[in-house]
């Protein structure tokens, strides 16, 4: 059996807004890995973007079904995630979306076209974001400790996905072959 047939069972963990989706899609661009293994529970969780496993019993159940090779933990400071997630403002009538950092309105809090006030979705409000991040942390701490004890946890820390990605990429190169060494996909 050639090295290219090697199956890597990896889990990507990280708080909401930590860049899991971006990292996952880059992994599938660069490596011979499918985004997802079989198992309806996993697929269902991935499609909803909820991240799995989130609790210790889930992690233990997953281990009984699959031998997990590596757990990639994206460790992004809460403050950074909070800024990222609370930067979104919406013009309800048109559905126009602004981002304070990347695509700000000409006047803060005002729609460029109509001059009407912008609103923030409940999900994007600082207090909601903080609540979600604290819940994530409390729920996943035992999961991360569990994988740490098993020796499969790899934590990558940083404030930007583009700065974290090269480290994840280098780590995965030691585990699986790349799809195409001269791929036109930027690192």
């Amino acid at each position: 059996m050639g090295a290219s047939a090697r199956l890597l069972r990896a889990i990507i963990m990280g708080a909401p807004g930590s860049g899991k989706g971006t990292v996952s899609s880059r992994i599938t661009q660069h490596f011979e890995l499918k985004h997802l293994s079989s198992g309806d529970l996993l697929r269902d969780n991935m499609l909803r973007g909820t991240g799995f496993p989130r609790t210790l019993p889930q992690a233990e159940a997953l281990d009984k079904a699959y031998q997990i090779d590596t757990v990639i933990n994206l460790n992004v400071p809460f403050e950074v995630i909070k800024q990222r997630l609370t930067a979104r403002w919406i013009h309800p009538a048109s559905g126009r979306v602004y981002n304070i950092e990347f695509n700000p309105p000409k006047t803060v809090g005002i729609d460029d076209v109509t001059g009407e006030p912008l609103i923030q979705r409940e999900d994007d409000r600082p207090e909601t974001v903080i609540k979600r991040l604290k819940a994530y942390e409390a729920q996943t701490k035992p999961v991360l400790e569990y994988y740490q004890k098993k020796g499969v946890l790899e934590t990558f820390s940083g404030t930007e996905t583009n700065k974290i990605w090269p480290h994840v990429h280098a780590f995965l190169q030691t585990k699986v072959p790349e799809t195409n060494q001269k791929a036109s996909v930027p690192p």
Side-chain angles (χ1 to χ4, degrees), residues 14-145:
S18 64
K20 289 185 303 291
T22 307
V23 168
S24 298
S25 65
R26 285 187 191 180
I27 289 172
T28 52
Q29 281 174 347
H30 284 267
F31 297 95
E32 294 175 15
L33 295 173
K34 294 283 168 280
H35 189 50
L36 204 43
S37 74
S38 63
D40 293 330
L41 186 56
L42 262 82
R43 193 174 303 107
D44 191 37
N45 274 283
M46 286 298 278
L47 288 173
R48 289 204 312 267
T50 49
F52 176 89
R54 286 182 103 158
T55 62
L56 193 53
Q58 284 178 351
E60 289 167 342
L62 186 62
D63 253 355
K64 285 191 183 75
Y66 301 101
Q67 179 59 53
I68 300 303
D69 300 302
T70 191
V71 176
I72 293 167
N73 179 37
L74 304 179
N75 180 29
V76 178
F78 276 10
E79 203 39 55
V80 172
I81 293 176
K82 195 182 100 182
Q83 282 176 330
R84 217 178 261 180
L85 295 179
T86 57
R88 188 168 39 182
W89 289 80
I90 290 166
H91 179 248
S94 68
R96 269 186 293 280
V97 177
Y98 296 90
N99 184 298
I100 301 308
E101 293 172 40
F102 311 111
N103 174 34
K106 291 183 180 83
T107 311
V108 176
I110 302 295
D111 178 54
D112 290 348
V113 181
T114 63
E116 293 167 352
L118 301 173
I119 62 150
Q120 207 169 25
R121 285 187 11 220
E122 184 65 44
D123 264 5
D124 300 330
R125 292 197 179 132
E127 54 277 18
T128 313
V129 168
I130 290 163
K131 222 178 277 173
R132 275 170 69 202
L133 292 174
K134 282 187 172 152
Y136 171 83
E137 188 176 47
Q139 206 175 32
T140 55
K141 195 173 190 281
V143 177
L144 294 172
E145 284 167 358

Side-chain angles (χ1 to χ4, degrees), residues 173 177-183:
Q173 279 178 312
E178 291 203 67
T179 2
N180 175 358
Q181 298 298 341
K182 296 175 193 69

